Amino acid sequence: MSIDFRNIIKPYPSPIITGRGIDLDFPMLAGCLALLGLGLVMITSASSEVAAVQSGNTLYMMIRHLVYLVIGLGACIVTMMIPIATWQRLGWMMLIGAFGLLIMVILPGIGREVNGSMRWIGFGAFNVQPSEIAKVFVVIYLAGYLVRRQKEVRESWMGFFKPFIVLLPMAGLLLMEPDFGATVVMMGAAAAMLFLGGVGLFRFTLMVVLAVAAVTVLVQAQPYRMARLITFTDPWADQFGSGYQLTQALIAFGRGEWLGVGLGNSVQKQFYLPEAHTDFVFSVLAEELGVVGSLCTVALFVFVCVRGMYIGLWAEKAKQYFAAYVAYGLSFLWIGQFLINIGVNVGLLPTKGLTLPFLSYGGSSLVICCACLGLLLRIEWESRTHLGSEEMEFSESDFAEEPPHGR
């Protein structure tokens, strides 16, 4: 199968190139921009002490985060300009690319080890986390599969099992890093997509049972995972050992009370709480902004995730099924990471290294989240205008007669 790359870079109409000017889903854009702005503020606050010691500049982490934010917004704009049909056509290439990146990261000399995990590929001063890219590529490939094999997925066992020929090896590569959190999020999003794709309740229930059994075996197979599982049930039993990180996070929540101690006044970020600007930035947010600020942040996340699901529903009603499945899959990736990160911060789940979308410090996560936002905005625009297909011819009159934004 040959790919004409001239078609990929052809300037098709997009939400930011229309006869009516910029035509975006502004509620979705505003919600994500609010999270990005809040994330920049909290990274600046939570990383100040660490940055001062490591680099001598209290704003070092903030500057790096700001650079990633600019790159992410650029990625958002680029993805908005690419037709969804192009993503569908290149799904198999993305899957191969995802496997290639996950294999590269575990190779000695290529992958970069941090805190005992080989999750990053270094490019000078920057690190790329292949698992963040792989999760999105899997969603795009699986969406294409559900469209191509819709009847087979709904009616036969073989159509149900075929995706796991791809998903299980990829999960195995993620576990070799190891990255248990990314594995759970990816497989959870895939399971949700299969359910929405029409898999029967019996087959879906069987899949859930097998998944729970697999997670149980994986937890028991590694002593450190078992230790985390035991610790989170009573972190105060070993508050200066295995339960240290969680107890410090809970102290941050306790100090925040209703209205917080004030922006920039966190005590836990001063080397008491490890990873305060990455995996546990929500704890610092809770300490500085209190219960009210935490609940407002959660409400903002809920709005963004629900809006993403509605974008998928609108695409499905417009009979753009590939776009709908992609929107569902991306939304479930966000939902999974959000639930796990918040659950870890408040002690409802065992400690797991997983970033909070849009908020946590981390270049790969931030850029990929922005790119996913661009995809969702493109999907919403195509489903609303019905003009987002490569096979259609466009003219200025098409965009002059666009219906008003009714969502």
Side-chain angles (χ1 to χ4, degrees), residues 24-349:
L24 295 171
D25 180 12
F26 285 104
M28 182 67 166
L29 179 63
C32 291
L33 288 179
L35 286 173
L36 289 171
L38 179 61
L40 180 61
V41 171
M42 293 312 306
I43 293 302
T44 304
S45 175
S47 67
S48 59
E49 302 297 329
V50 175
V53 171
Q54 292 183 353
S55 67
N57 180 4
T58 57
L59 299 180
Y60 176 74
M61 297 292 187
M62 183 273 284
I63 294 171
R64 284 179 62 91
H65 189 79
L66 191 59
V67 170
Y68 285 126
L69 181 57
V70 172
I71 296 173
L73 293 176
C76 178
I77 292 172
V78 170
T79 53
M80 274 194 289
M81 297 178 69
I82 301 174
I84 298 301
T86 300
W87 296 101
Q88 184 174 5
R89 192 169 64 250
L90 298 180
W92 63 276
M93 293 183 65
M94 294 179 182
L95 183 68
I96 295 173
F99 271 109
L101 288 171
L102 292 179
I103 291 172
M104 288 175 61
V105 77
I106 60 177
L107 295 178
I110 298 178
R112 180 174 292 181
E113 184 175 349
V114 179
N115 296 331
S117 298
M118 298 278 285
R119 299 181 187 177
W120 294 268
I121 298 177
F123 293 94
F126 298 95
N127 293 326
V128 174
Q129 192 170 359
S131 61
E132 295 291 337
I133 303 172
K135 287 184 294 187
V136 177
F137 284 3
V138 164
V139 165
I140 293 173
Y141 175 79
L142 187 56
Y145 174 82
L146 290 173
V147 171
R148 293 192 307 272
R149 306 284 185 178
Q150 188 175 61
K151 184 176 181 181
E152 190 177 354
V153 168
R154 293 180 176 181
E155 298 179 0
S156 73
W157 283 93
M158 186 57 66
F160 168 68
F161 280 119
K162 279 181 180 178
F164 292 97
I165 299 175
V166 171
L167 292 171
L168 292 179
M170 188 163 289
L173 290 172
L174 287 171
L175 291 172
M176 289 176 68
E177 297 183 6
D179 195 343
F180 188 67
T183 306
V184 171
V185 170
M186 183 190 74
M187 296 300 286
M193 290 175 68
L194 286 169
F195 181 73
L196 294 175
V199 169
L201 185 60
F202 176 74
R203 289 193 288 269
F204 181 77
T205 304
L206 176 63
M207 176 175 60
V208 171
V209 171
L210 292 175
V212 171
V215 169
T216 303
V217 171
L218 289 171
V219 168
Q220 294 178 344
Q222 293 291 339
Y224 77 92
R225 290 183 188 139
M226 199 64 191
R228 285 180 177 178
L229 183 63
I230 295 172
T231 298
F232 104 97
T233 58
D234 185 13
W236 302 101
D238 189 14
Q239 60 177 307
F240 297 110
S242 58
Y244 179 78
Q245 195 170 30
L246 179 53
T247 55
Q248 296 303 314
L250 294 176
I251 290 172
F253 278 93
R255 292 192 75 251
E257 297 184 352
W258 285 102
L259 298 176
V261 297
L263 190 62
N265 293 328
S266 168
V267 171
Q268 294 305 102
K269 70 180 180 183
Q270 299 179 16
F271 303 100
Y272 291 102
L273 176 61
E275 309 296 339
H277 60 295
T278 54
D279 301 340
F280 283 84
V281 69
F282 190 76
S283 296
V284 177
L285 184 150
E287 184 181 3
E288 295 188 349
L289 303 183
V291 172
V292 174
S294 301
L295 291 179
C296 289
T297 304
V298 170
L300 200 53
F301 268 111
V302 170
F303 170 77
V304 166
C305 293
V306 171
R307 188 76 178 183
M309 295 294 290
Y310 267 103
I311 288 174
L313 179 62
W314 295 329
E316 191 169 0
K317 288 182 177 180
K319 301 188 184 303
Q320 298 177 3
Y321 297 110
F322 171 79
Y325 292 136
V326 170
Y328 291 143
L330 297 180
S331 299
F332 278 115
L333 287 180
W334 288 352
I335 292 169
Q337 287 194 222
F338 164 69
L339 290 177
I340 291 175
N341 184 277
I342 300 295
V344 167
N345 274 255
V346 300
L348 292 177
L349 294 173

